Amino acid sequence: MEYMVKLKLLKKGAQKEIKKAKDLKELDRIFRKYLGKRGKITQILRSLKKLKKEKRVKIGKEANLLKKIIEENIREKAEKLKEKVRAEIFKKERIDVTAPGKKVLPGHLHPLTQVQRRVEEIFQSMGFSVIEGPEIETEWYNFDALNIPKEHPARDFWDTLWLKPKNQKLLLRTHTSPVQVRYMEKNPPPLRIIVPGRVFRHEATDASHEVNFYQIEGLMVDKDISIANFKAIIQKLFKRFFEKSIKIRLRPSYFPFTEPSFEVDMTCLTCGGKGCSACQRTGWMEMMGAGMVHPNVFKAVGLNPRDWQGFAFGMGLDRLAMMRYKINDIRLFYGGDLRFLKQF
Ligand code: DAH
Protein backbone atom coordinates (compact mmCIF):
# COMPACT_ATOMS: atom_id res chain seq x y z
CA MET A 1 0.00 0.00 0.00
CA GLU A 2 2.99 2.21 -0.02
CA TYR A 3 2.01 3.38 -3.55
CA MET A 4 -1.48 4.33 -2.48
CA VAL A 5 -0.14 6.52 0.34
CA LYS A 6 2.27 8.13 -2.04
CA LEU A 7 -0.51 8.95 -4.49
CA LYS A 8 -2.64 10.40 -1.73
CA LEU A 9 0.19 12.66 -0.55
CA LEU A 10 0.92 13.74 -4.11
CA LYS A 11 -2.71 14.63 -4.64
CA LYS A 12 -2.82 16.65 -1.46
CA GLY A 13 0.44 18.43 -2.21
CA ALA A 14 -0.42 19.18 -5.82
CA GLN A 15 -3.89 20.49 -5.03
CA LYS A 16 -2.54 22.71 -2.30
CA GLU A 17 0.01 24.21 -4.68
CA ILE A 18 -2.54 24.68 -7.44
CA LYS A 19 -4.83 26.48 -5.06
CA LYS A 20 -2.08 28.86 -4.03
CA ALA A 21 -0.79 29.58 -7.55
CA LYS A 22 -0.95 33.30 -8.29
CA ASP A 23 -0.29 33.34 -11.98
CA LEU A 24 0.00 31.20 -15.10
CA LYS A 25 3.74 30.98 -14.85
CA GLU A 26 3.53 29.40 -11.41
CA LEU A 27 0.82 27.06 -12.64
CA ASP A 28 3.04 25.95 -15.47
CA ARG A 29 5.81 25.18 -12.97
CA ILE A 30 3.35 23.02 -10.98
CA PHE A 31 2.28 21.21 -14.12
CA ARG A 32 5.86 20.34 -14.91
CA LYS A 33 6.57 19.30 -11.33
CA TYR A 34 3.77 16.71 -11.36
CA LEU A 35 2.88 15.93 -14.92
CA GLY A 36 5.93 16.91 -16.94
CA LYS A 37 8.35 14.39 -18.49
CA ARG A 38 10.05 13.92 -15.17
CA GLY A 39 7.03 14.87 -13.11
CA LYS A 40 6.19 13.02 -9.94
CA ILE A 41 3.00 11.42 -11.24
CA THR A 42 4.63 10.60 -14.57
CA GLN A 43 7.41 8.81 -12.76
CA ILE A 44 4.97 6.68 -10.82
CA LEU A 45 3.17 5.73 -14.01
CA ARG A 46 6.47 4.80 -15.56
CA SER A 47 7.53 2.62 -12.65
CA LEU A 48 4.34 0.54 -12.84
CA LYS A 49 5.78 -1.94 -15.27
CA LYS A 50 8.03 -3.29 -12.55
CA LEU A 51 4.99 -4.34 -10.55
CA LYS A 52 3.08 -7.57 -10.62
CA LYS A 53 0.00 -7.56 -12.79
CA GLU A 54 -2.64 -7.36 -10.07
CA LYS A 55 -0.92 -4.51 -8.28
CA ARG A 56 -0.12 -2.82 -11.54
CA VAL A 57 -3.78 -2.70 -12.60
CA LYS A 58 -4.94 -1.39 -9.27
CA ILE A 59 -2.31 1.26 -8.80
CA GLY A 60 -2.27 2.11 -12.47
CA LYS A 61 -5.95 2.90 -12.31
CA GLU A 62 -5.45 5.13 -9.27
CA ALA A 63 -2.44 6.88 -10.74
CA ASN A 64 -4.23 7.57 -14.05
CA LEU A 65 -7.20 8.89 -12.18
CA LEU A 66 -4.95 11.20 -10.19
CA LYS A 67 -3.31 12.36 -13.38
CA LYS A 68 -6.74 13.26 -14.82
CA ILE A 69 -7.80 15.04 -11.62
CA ILE A 70 -4.66 17.12 -11.42
CA GLU A 71 -4.86 17.97 -15.11
CA GLU A 72 -8.45 19.05 -14.62
CA ASN A 73 -7.54 21.07 -11.50
CA ILE A 74 -4.79 22.87 -13.40
CA ARG A 75 -7.05 23.57 -16.35
CA GLU A 76 -9.71 25.04 -14.07
CA LYS A 77 -7.21 27.15 -12.22
CA ALA A 78 -5.73 28.40 -15.50
CA GLU A 79 -9.20 29.51 -16.58
CA LYS A 80 -9.64 31.39 -13.34
CA LEU A 81 -6.26 33.10 -13.63
CA LYS A 82 -6.95 34.13 -17.24
CA GLU A 83 -10.30 35.50 -16.22
CA LYS A 84 -8.60 37.54 -13.51
CA VAL A 85 -6.19 39.06 -16.03
CA ARG A 86 -9.06 39.88 -18.36
CA ALA A 87 -10.97 41.54 -15.55
CA GLU A 88 -7.96 43.67 -14.66
CA ILE A 89 -7.52 44.84 -18.26
CA PHE A 90 -11.22 45.54 -18.50
CA LYS A 91 -11.12 47.55 -15.30
CA LYS A 92 -8.29 49.67 -16.63
CA GLU A 93 -9.87 50.27 -20.03
CA ARG A 94 -13.40 50.58 -18.86
CA ILE A 95 -15.34 53.70 -19.75
CA ASP A 96 -17.09 55.13 -16.77
CA VAL A 97 -20.20 56.65 -18.27
CA THR A 98 -21.08 58.29 -14.97
CA ALA A 99 -17.76 60.18 -14.72
CA PRO A 100 -18.05 63.96 -15.22
CA GLY A 101 -17.02 65.13 -18.70
CA LYS A 102 -13.69 66.81 -19.37
CA LYS A 103 -14.17 70.49 -20.16
CA VAL A 104 -12.96 71.62 -23.57
CA LEU A 105 -11.45 75.06 -23.10
CA PRO A 106 -12.57 77.43 -25.82
CA GLY A 107 -9.77 79.29 -27.59
CA HIS A 108 -10.02 82.80 -28.94
CA LEU A 109 -8.84 84.91 -31.81
CA HIS A 110 -5.18 85.88 -31.96
CA PRO A 111 -4.61 89.54 -30.98
CA LEU A 112 -3.48 90.33 -34.54
CA THR A 113 -6.72 88.92 -35.94
CA GLN A 114 -8.73 90.92 -33.43
CA VAL A 115 -6.91 94.10 -34.44
CA GLN A 116 -7.31 93.33 -38.14
CA ARG A 117 -11.06 92.83 -37.74
CA ARG A 118 -11.44 96.05 -35.77
CA VAL A 119 -9.54 98.05 -38.41
CA GLU A 120 -11.65 96.46 -41.16
CA GLU A 121 -14.82 97.49 -39.34
CA ILE A 122 -13.67 101.08 -39.03
CA PHE A 123 -12.69 101.35 -42.67
CA GLN A 124 -15.85 99.64 -43.86
CA SER A 125 -17.86 102.22 -41.96
CA MET A 126 -16.04 104.85 -44.06
CA GLY A 127 -17.00 103.14 -47.31
CA PHE A 128 -13.85 101.07 -47.94
CA SER A 129 -14.00 97.48 -49.25
CA VAL A 130 -11.74 94.77 -47.85
CA ILE A 131 -9.68 93.10 -50.60
CA GLU A 132 -7.09 90.32 -50.51
CA GLY A 133 -4.19 89.34 -52.74
CA PRO A 134 -1.69 86.48 -53.10
CA GLU A 135 1.25 86.02 -50.72
CA ILE A 136 3.36 84.60 -53.55
CA GLU A 137 3.80 87.41 -56.04
CA THR A 138 5.46 88.00 -59.37
CA GLU A 139 8.29 90.47 -59.71
CA TRP A 140 6.02 92.57 -61.94
CA TYR A 141 3.33 93.22 -59.32
CA ASN A 142 5.66 93.49 -56.33
CA PHE A 143 8.12 95.86 -58.04
CA ASP A 144 7.87 96.84 -61.72
CA ALA A 145 4.23 97.91 -61.81
CA LEU A 146 4.90 99.97 -58.69
CA ASN A 147 7.47 102.05 -60.52
CA ILE A 148 10.45 100.21 -58.97
CA PRO A 149 12.63 99.35 -61.98
CA LYS A 150 15.00 96.37 -61.93
CA GLU A 151 18.33 98.02 -61.32
CA HIS A 152 16.99 100.90 -59.27
CA PRO A 153 18.62 101.15 -55.82
CA ALA A 154 15.17 101.66 -54.26
CA ARG A 155 14.53 97.98 -54.78
CA ASP A 156 16.97 97.27 -51.98
CA PHE A 157 14.56 98.88 -49.48
CA TRP A 158 12.71 95.58 -49.56
CA ASP A 159 14.75 92.65 -48.36
CA THR A 160 13.17 90.18 -50.69
CA LEU A 161 12.78 86.45 -50.24
CA TRP A 162 13.00 85.09 -53.77
CA LEU A 163 11.51 81.74 -54.62
CA LYS A 164 13.76 79.41 -56.56
CA PRO A 165 14.42 79.30 -59.41
CA LYS A 166 15.15 83.00 -59.45
CA ASN A 167 14.61 83.38 -63.20
CA GLN A 168 10.93 82.58 -62.69
CA LYS A 169 10.70 85.91 -60.88
CA LEU A 170 8.46 84.66 -58.11
CA LEU A 171 8.85 85.98 -54.58
CA LEU A 172 7.13 86.24 -51.23
CA ARG A 173 5.48 89.64 -51.38
CA THR A 174 7.43 92.21 -49.39
CA HIS A 175 4.41 94.48 -49.01
CA THR A 176 0.69 94.60 -49.73
CA SER A 177 1.13 97.36 -52.33
CA PRO A 178 1.00 94.96 -55.33
CA VAL A 179 -2.71 94.50 -54.60
CA GLN A 180 -3.23 98.18 -55.50
CA VAL A 181 -2.20 97.27 -59.03
CA ARG A 182 -4.11 93.98 -59.15
CA TYR A 183 -7.27 95.74 -58.00
CA MET A 184 -7.03 98.77 -60.29
CA GLU A 185 -6.45 96.53 -63.32
CA LYS A 186 -9.91 95.06 -62.85
CA ASN A 187 -11.88 97.81 -61.10
CA PRO A 188 -12.22 101.30 -62.53
CA PRO A 189 -12.15 104.26 -60.11
CA PRO A 190 -13.55 105.87 -58.07
CA LEU A 191 -12.48 103.34 -55.47
CA ARG A 192 -11.73 102.89 -51.79
CA ILE A 193 -10.09 99.71 -50.63
CA ILE A 194 -8.01 98.33 -47.80
CA VAL A 195 -5.89 95.20 -48.15
CA PRO A 196 -4.93 93.38 -44.99
CA GLY A 197 -2.34 90.64 -45.38
CA ARG A 198 0.85 88.90 -44.50
CA VAL A 199 4.17 90.11 -45.92
CA PHE A 200 7.72 88.78 -45.78
CA ARG A 201 11.16 90.33 -45.42
CA HIS A 202 14.58 88.76 -45.43
CA GLU A 203 15.96 90.66 -42.47
CA ALA A 204 17.31 90.29 -38.95
CA THR A 205 14.64 90.32 -36.25
CA ASP A 206 14.54 92.64 -33.27
CA ALA A 207 11.88 94.13 -30.99
CA SER A 208 10.22 95.95 -33.87
CA HIS A 209 11.12 93.79 -36.91
CA GLU A 210 10.04 90.30 -37.91
CA VAL A 211 10.66 88.24 -41.07
CA ASN A 212 6.95 87.93 -41.51
CA PHE A 213 4.41 90.47 -40.35
CA TYR A 214 1.11 92.03 -41.38
CA GLN A 215 0.24 95.16 -43.28
CA ILE A 216 -2.93 96.96 -44.16
CA GLU A 217 -2.71 98.68 -47.49
CA GLY A 218 -5.09 101.50 -48.25
CA LEU A 219 -6.02 103.08 -51.56
CA MET A 220 -8.50 105.80 -52.39
CA VAL A 221 -8.79 107.06 -55.96
CA ASP A 222 -11.18 109.66 -57.30
CA LYS A 223 -11.22 112.90 -59.28
CA ASP A 224 -10.23 115.22 -56.48
CA ILE A 225 -8.36 113.57 -53.62
CA SER A 226 -5.66 115.24 -51.53
CA ILE A 227 -3.41 114.62 -48.55
CA ALA A 228 -6.03 116.43 -46.45
CA ASN A 229 -8.43 113.55 -47.14
CA PHE A 230 -5.74 111.09 -46.11
CA LYS A 231 -5.03 112.91 -42.86
CA ALA A 232 -8.69 113.08 -41.97
CA ILE A 233 -9.18 109.37 -42.54
CA ILE A 234 -6.10 108.32 -40.56
CA GLN A 235 -7.01 110.59 -37.66
CA LYS A 236 -10.50 109.13 -37.62
CA LEU A 237 -9.08 105.59 -37.74
CA PHE A 238 -6.72 106.22 -34.82
CA LYS A 239 -9.35 107.98 -32.76
CA ARG A 240 -11.77 105.11 -33.13
CA PHE A 241 -9.18 102.37 -32.83
CA PHE A 242 -7.42 103.73 -29.73
CA GLU A 243 -10.59 105.33 -28.36
CA LYS A 244 -8.83 108.64 -27.74
CA SER A 245 -7.18 111.45 -29.68
CA ILE A 246 -3.73 110.47 -30.88
CA LYS A 247 -0.91 112.79 -31.84
CA ILE A 248 0.47 112.02 -35.30
CA ARG A 249 3.15 113.59 -37.48
CA LEU A 250 3.85 113.37 -41.20
CA ARG A 251 7.50 113.20 -42.26
CA PRO A 252 8.58 113.67 -45.88
CA SER A 253 9.90 110.41 -47.28
CA TYR A 254 10.43 108.54 -50.50
CA PHE A 255 8.58 105.66 -52.11
CA PRO A 256 8.81 104.98 -55.84
CA PHE A 257 5.05 104.49 -56.14
CA THR A 258 3.98 107.79 -54.54
CA GLU A 259 4.72 111.43 -55.17
CA PRO A 260 4.94 113.16 -52.81
CA SER A 261 5.68 110.48 -50.21
CA PHE A 262 5.67 110.65 -46.45
CA GLU A 263 5.68 108.54 -43.35
CA VAL A 264 3.21 108.74 -40.50
CA ASP A 265 4.35 108.47 -36.90
CA MET A 266 2.28 108.45 -33.73
CA THR A 267 3.29 109.07 -30.14
CA CYS A 268 4.58 105.76 -28.79
CA LEU A 269 1.87 104.58 -26.41
CA THR A 270 4.08 101.93 -24.85
CA CYS A 271 6.20 104.59 -23.16
CA GLY A 272 3.94 107.64 -23.59
CA GLY A 273 6.55 109.32 -25.79
CA LYS A 274 9.47 108.99 -23.38
CA GLY A 275 11.37 106.46 -25.50
CA CYS A 276 11.50 102.67 -25.11
CA SER A 277 12.68 99.51 -26.87
CA ALA A 278 9.54 99.37 -29.04
CA CYS A 279 10.09 102.84 -30.55
CA GLN A 280 13.87 102.62 -30.63
CA ARG A 281 13.98 105.26 -27.87
CA THR A 282 12.57 108.01 -30.10
CA GLY A 283 9.17 108.38 -28.42
CA TRP A 284 7.56 108.05 -31.88
CA MET A 285 6.27 104.92 -33.53
CA GLU A 286 6.44 104.74 -37.30
CA MET A 287 3.03 103.43 -38.33
CA MET A 288 2.92 103.63 -42.11
CA GLY A 289 4.33 104.78 -45.38
CA ALA A 290 2.01 106.82 -47.58
CA GLY A 291 1.71 109.31 -50.37
CA MET A 292 -0.17 110.37 -53.47
CA VAL A 293 -0.32 107.61 -56.09
CA HIS A 294 2.50 108.07 -58.62
CA PRO A 295 1.43 108.76 -62.24
CA ASN A 296 3.48 105.76 -63.39
CA VAL A 297 1.36 103.42 -61.25
CA PHE A 298 -1.80 104.74 -62.90
CA LYS A 299 -0.14 104.24 -66.27
CA ALA A 300 0.82 100.67 -65.39
CA VAL A 301 -2.85 99.81 -64.90
CA GLY A 302 -4.01 101.69 -67.97
CA LEU A 303 -5.44 104.78 -66.28
CA ASN A 304 -4.73 108.31 -67.35
CA PRO A 305 -2.98 110.15 -64.49
CA ARG A 306 -4.52 113.37 -65.71
CA ASP A 307 -7.99 112.03 -64.96
CA TRP A 308 -7.37 110.46 -61.57
CA GLN A 309 -5.62 111.11 -58.30
CA GLY A 310 -5.53 109.36 -54.99
CA PHE A 311 -3.66 108.52 -51.85
CA ALA A 312 -2.21 105.20 -50.78
CA PHE A 313 -0.72 103.95 -47.56
CA GLY A 314 0.81 100.80 -46.10
CA MET A 315 0.34 100.40 -42.37
CA GLY A 316 1.95 97.91 -40.00
CA LEU A 317 -0.80 95.87 -38.39
CA ASP A 318 1.58 94.48 -35.77
CA ARG A 319 2.57 97.97 -34.77
CA LEU A 320 -1.06 98.97 -34.35
CA ALA A 321 -1.51 95.98 -32.05
CA MET A 322 1.68 96.83 -30.15
CA MET A 323 0.47 100.37 -29.55
CA ARG A 324 -3.01 99.26 -28.65
CA TYR A 325 -1.93 96.68 -26.07
CA LYS A 326 1.38 98.29 -25.04
CA ILE A 327 3.50 95.40 -26.24
CA ASN A 328 7.18 96.17 -26.54
CA ASP A 329 8.32 93.26 -28.72
CA ILE A 330 6.77 92.22 -32.04
CA ARG A 331 8.21 88.70 -31.72
CA LEU A 332 5.72 87.91 -28.95
CA PHE A 333 2.96 87.66 -31.58
CA TYR A 334 4.66 84.75 -33.29
CA GLY A 335 6.14 82.84 -30.34
CA GLY A 336 2.98 80.82 -29.64
CA ASP A 337 3.40 81.34 -25.90
CA LEU A 338 -0.03 80.79 -24.34
CA ARG A 339 0.88 82.87 -21.28
CA PHE A 340 1.10 85.82 -23.68
CA LEU A 341 -1.86 84.96 -25.89
CA LYS A 342 -4.30 84.26 -23.05
CA GLN A 343 -4.19 87.92 -22.05
CA PHE A 344 -6.24 89.03 -25.05
N1 DAH B 1 4.68 99.35 -49.31
C1 DAH B 1 5.47 100.21 -48.45
C2 DAH B 1 6.35 99.37 -47.56
O1 DAH B 1 6.02 98.24 -47.31
C3 DAH B 1 4.58 101.05 -47.61
C4 DAH B 1 3.82 102.03 -48.40
C5 DAH B 1 4.33 103.29 -48.66
C6 DAH B 1 2.60 101.69 -48.96
C7 DAH B 1 3.66 104.20 -49.39
C8 DAH B 1 1.91 102.64 -49.72
C9 DAH B 1 2.45 103.88 -49.93
O2 DAH B 1 0.73 102.35 -50.26
O3 DAH B 1 1.75 104.77 -50.66
O4 DAH B 1 7.37 99.83 -47.14
Side-chain angles (χ1 to χ4, degrees), residues 147 152 154 157-158 251-259 261-263:
N147 196 35
H152 196 283
F157 293 168
W158 292 275
R251 268 183 299 115
S253 184
Y254 169 73
F255 296 100
F257 33 93
T258 42
E259 181 57 36
S261 306
F262 43 89
E263 275 166 89

mmCIF file of all heavy atoms in Angstrom, residues 147 152 154 157-158 251-259 261-263:
data_model
loop_
_atom_site.group_PDB
_atom_site.id
_atom_site.type_symbol
_atom_site.label_atom_id
_atom_site.label_comp_id
_atom_site.label_asym_id
_atom_site.label_seq_id
_atom_site.Cartn_x
_atom_site.Cartn_y
_atom_site.Cartn_z
ATOM 1 N N ASN A 147 6.476 101.035 -60.152
ATOM 2 C CA ASN A 147 7.474 102.049 -60.518
ATOM 3 C C ASN A 147 8.826 101.822 -59.830
ATOM 4 O O ASN A 147 9.530 102.761 -59.516
ATOM 5 C CB ASN A 147 6.923 103.449 -60.198
ATOM 6 C CG ASN A 147 7.702 104.554 -60.873
ATOM 7 O OD1 ASN A 147 8.186 104.383 -62.003
ATOM 8 N ND2 ASN A 147 7.868 105.684 -60.187
ATOM 9 N N HIS A 152 17.105 99.709 -60.112
ATOM 10 C CA HIS A 152 16.995 100.905 -59.274
ATOM 11 C C HIS A 152 17.354 100.590 -57.817
ATOM 12 O O HIS A 152 16.905 99.580 -57.272
ATOM 13 C CB HIS A 152 15.564 101.445 -59.348
ATOM 14 C CG HIS A 152 15.429 102.854 -58.849
ATOM 15 N ND1 HIS A 152 15.412 103.150 -57.513
ATOM 16 C CD2 HIS A 152 15.323 104.043 -59.506
ATOM 17 C CE1 HIS A 152 15.294 104.470 -57.365
ATOM 18 N NE2 HIS A 152 15.240 105.028 -58.574
ATOM 19 N N ALA A 154 16.312 101.692 -55.178
ATOM 20 C CA ALA A 154 15.171 101.660 -54.258
ATOM 21 C C ALA A 154 14.683 100.240 -54.006
ATOM 22 O O ALA A 154 14.073 99.949 -52.984
ATOM 23 C CB ALA A 154 14.036 102.502 -54.808
ATOM 24 N N PHE A 157 15.296 98.576 -50.713
ATOM 25 C CA PHE A 157 14.555 98.879 -49.484
ATOM 26 C C PHE A 157 13.834 97.634 -48.979
ATOM 27 O O PHE A 157 13.562 97.482 -47.813
ATOM 28 C CB PHE A 157 13.464 99.943 -49.736
ATOM 29 C CG PHE A 157 13.970 101.313 -50.076
ATOM 30 C CD1 PHE A 157 13.092 102.280 -50.564
ATOM 31 C CD2 PHE A 157 15.313 101.651 -49.915
ATOM 32 C CE1 PHE A 157 13.527 103.554 -50.883
ATOM 33 C CE2 PHE A 157 15.768 102.927 -50.232
ATOM 34 C CZ PHE A 157 14.871 103.875 -50.730
ATOM 35 N N TRP A 158 13.481 96.781 -49.941
ATOM 36 C CA TRP A 158 12.706 95.585 -49.559
ATOM 37 C C TRP A 158 13.614 94.371 -49.596
ATOM 38 O O TRP A 158 14.106 93.996 -50.665
ATOM 39 C CB TRP A 158 11.518 95.416 -50.505
ATOM 40 C CG TRP A 158 10.529 96.512 -50.284
ATOM 41 C CD1 TRP A 158 9.538 96.530 -49.348
ATOM 42 C CD2 TRP A 158 10.445 97.761 -50.976
ATOM 43 N NE1 TRP A 158 8.844 97.703 -49.410
ATOM 44 C CE2 TRP A 158 9.372 98.480 -50.401
ATOM 45 C CE3 TRP A 158 11.167 98.351 -52.017
ATOM 46 C CZ2 TRP A 158 9.011 99.752 -50.830
ATOM 47 C CZ3 TRP A 158 10.799 99.613 -52.438
ATOM 48 C CH2 TRP A 158 9.735 100.299 -51.860
ATOM 49 N N ARG A 251 6.105 112.874 -41.905
ATOM 50 C CA ARG A 251 7.495 113.201 -42.259
ATOM 51 C C ARG A 251 7.679 112.978 -43.744
ATOM 52 O O ARG A 251 7.260 111.931 -44.252
ATOM 53 C CB ARG A 251 8.446 112.250 -41.533
ATOM 54 C CG ARG A 251 8.953 112.726 -40.208
ATOM 55 C CD ARG A 251 9.949 111.719 -39.622
ATOM 56 N NE ARG A 251 9.366 110.403 -39.387
ATOM 57 C CZ ARG A 251 9.741 109.314 -40.033
ATOM 58 N NH1 ARG A 251 10.687 109.358 -40.964
ATOM 59 N NH2 ARG A 251 9.162 108.169 -39.750
ATOM 60 N N PRO A 252 8.324 113.915 -44.462
ATOM 61 C CA PRO A 252 8.583 113.673 -45.877
ATOM 62 C C PRO A 252 9.435 112.415 -46.048
ATOM 63 O O PRO A 252 10.306 112.147 -45.216
ATOM 64 C CB PRO A 252 9.394 114.902 -46.313
ATOM 65 C CG PRO A 252 9.181 115.921 -45.248
ATOM 66 C CD PRO A 252 8.881 115.182 -43.991
ATOM 67 N N SER A 253 9.152 111.643 -47.082
ATOM 68 C CA SER A 253 9.898 110.405 -47.281
ATOM 69 C C SER A 253 9.967 110.101 -48.770
ATOM 70 O O SER A 253 9.623 110.960 -49.592
ATOM 71 C CB SER A 253 9.203 109.273 -46.524
ATOM 72 O OG SER A 253 9.945 108.087 -46.628
ATOM 73 N N TYR A 254 10.379 108.915 -49.089
ATOM 74 C CA TYR A 254 10.434 108.539 -50.505
ATOM 75 C C TYR A 254 9.924 107.122 -50.717
ATOM 76 O O TYR A 254 10.372 106.179 -50.064
ATOM 77 C CB TYR A 254 11.864 108.637 -51.028
ATOM 78 C CG TYR A 254 12.012 108.005 -52.392
ATOM 79 C CD1 TYR A 254 11.491 108.633 -53.523
ATOM 80 C CD2 TYR A 254 12.626 106.766 -52.559
ATOM 81 C CE1 TYR A 254 11.581 108.043 -54.774
ATOM 82 C CE2 TYR A 254 12.724 106.171 -53.813
ATOM 83 C CZ TYR A 254 12.195 106.813 -54.910
ATOM 84 O OH TYR A 254 12.266 106.231 -56.148
ATOM 85 N N PHE A 255 8.974 106.971 -51.597
ATOM 86 C CA PHE A 255 8.578 105.665 -52.107
ATOM 87 C C PHE A 255 8.426 105.817 -53.605
ATOM 88 O O PHE A 255 7.896 106.841 -54.074
ATOM 89 C CB PHE A 255 7.246 105.199 -51.498
ATOM 90 C CG PHE A 255 7.316 104.975 -50.011
ATOM 91 C CD1 PHE A 255 6.836 105.941 -49.134
ATOM 92 C CD2 PHE A 255 7.882 103.815 -49.488
ATOM 93 C CE1 PHE A 255 6.915 105.751 -47.762
ATOM 94 C CE2 PHE A 255 7.964 103.628 -48.111
ATOM 95 C CZ PHE A 255 7.485 104.592 -47.242
ATOM 96 N N PRO A 256 8.881 104.838 -54.380
ATOM 97 C CA PRO A 256 8.814 104.978 -55.843
ATOM 98 C C PRO A 256 7.392 105.071 -56.370
ATOM 99 O O PRO A 256 7.169 105.616 -57.452
ATOM 100 C CB PRO A 256 9.489 103.690 -56.348
ATOM 101 C CG PRO A 256 10.255 103.162 -55.179
ATOM 102 C CD PRO A 256 9.518 103.595 -53.960
ATOM 103 N N PHE A 257 6.425 104.549 -55.619
ATOM 104 C CA PHE A 257 5.049 104.491 -56.136
ATOM 105 C C PHE A 257 4.165 105.629 -55.636
ATOM 106 O O PHE A 257 2.949 105.607 -55.830
ATOM 107 C CB PHE A 257 4.413 103.135 -55.823
ATOM 108 C CG PHE A 257 4.869 102.530 -54.513
ATOM 109 C CD1 PHE A 257 4.160 102.748 -53.345
ATOM 110 C CD2 PHE A 257 6.028 101.752 -54.469
ATOM 111 C CE1 PHE A 257 4.591 102.185 -52.153
ATOM 112 C CE2 PHE A 257 6.463 101.199 -53.269
ATOM 113 C CZ PHE A 257 5.752 101.416 -52.106
ATOM 114 N N THR A 258 4.762 106.607 -54.945
ATOM 115 C CA THR A 258 3.980 107.785 -54.537
ATOM 116 C C THR A 258 4.792 109.045 -54.765
ATOM 117 O O THR A 258 6.024 109.035 -54.721
ATOM 118 C CB THR A 258 3.601 107.710 -53.034
ATOM 119 O OG1 THR A 258 4.721 107.234 -52.294
ATOM 120 C CG2 THR A 258 2.417 106.803 -52.803
ATOM 121 N N GLU A 259 4.076 110.129 -55.001
ATOM 122 C CA GLU A 259 4.725 111.427 -55.174
ATOM 123 C C GLU A 259 3.723 112.529 -54.864
ATOM 124 O O GLU A 259 2.726 112.641 -55.588
ATOM 125 C CB GLU A 259 5.273 111.552 -56.599
ATOM 126 C CG GLU A 259 5.986 112.841 -56.874
ATOM 127 C CD GLU A 259 7.152 113.111 -55.920
ATOM 128 O OE1 GLU A 259 7.839 112.140 -55.542
ATOM 129 O OE2 GLU A 259 7.341 114.273 -55.529
ATOM 130 N N SER A 261 5.765 111.599 -51.144
ATOM 131 C CA SER A 261 5.678 110.480 -50.207
ATOM 132 C C SER A 261 5.946 110.986 -48.795
ATOM 133 O O SER A 261 6.643 111.986 -48.608
ATOM 134 C CB SER A 261 6.739 109.430 -50.535
ATOM 135 O OG SER A 261 6.666 109.023 -51.879
ATOM 136 N N PHE A 262 5.392 110.301 -47.846
ATOM 137 C CA PHE A 262 5.671 110.652 -46.446
ATOM 138 C C PHE A 262 5.447 109.448 -45.548
ATOM 139 O O PHE A 262 4.879 108.433 -45.969
ATOM 140 C CB PHE A 262 4.809 111.836 -45.985
ATOM 141 C CG PHE A 262 3.380 111.760 -46.433
ATOM 142 C CD1 PHE A 262 2.431 111.117 -45.672
ATOM 143 C CD2 PHE A 262 2.997 112.335 -47.658
ATOM 144 C CE1 PHE A 262 1.112 111.036 -46.094
ATOM 145 C CE2 PHE A 262 1.666 112.251 -48.084
ATOM 146 C CZ PHE A 262 0.728 111.601 -47.305
ATOM 147 N N GLU A 263 5.922 109.591 -44.330
ATOM 148 C CA GLU A 263 5.680 108.540 -43.347
ATOM 149 C C GLU A 263 4.879 109.131 -42.208
ATOM 150 O O GLU A 263 4.994 110.324 -41.905
ATOM 151 C CB GLU A 263 7.006 107.962 -42.849
ATOM 152 C CG GLU A 263 7.517 106.874 -43.776
ATOM 153 C CD GLU A 263 8.961 106.493 -43.540
ATOM 154 O OE1 GLU A 263 9.181 105.599 -42.712
ATOM 155 O OE2 GLU A 263 9.845 107.097 -44.166
#
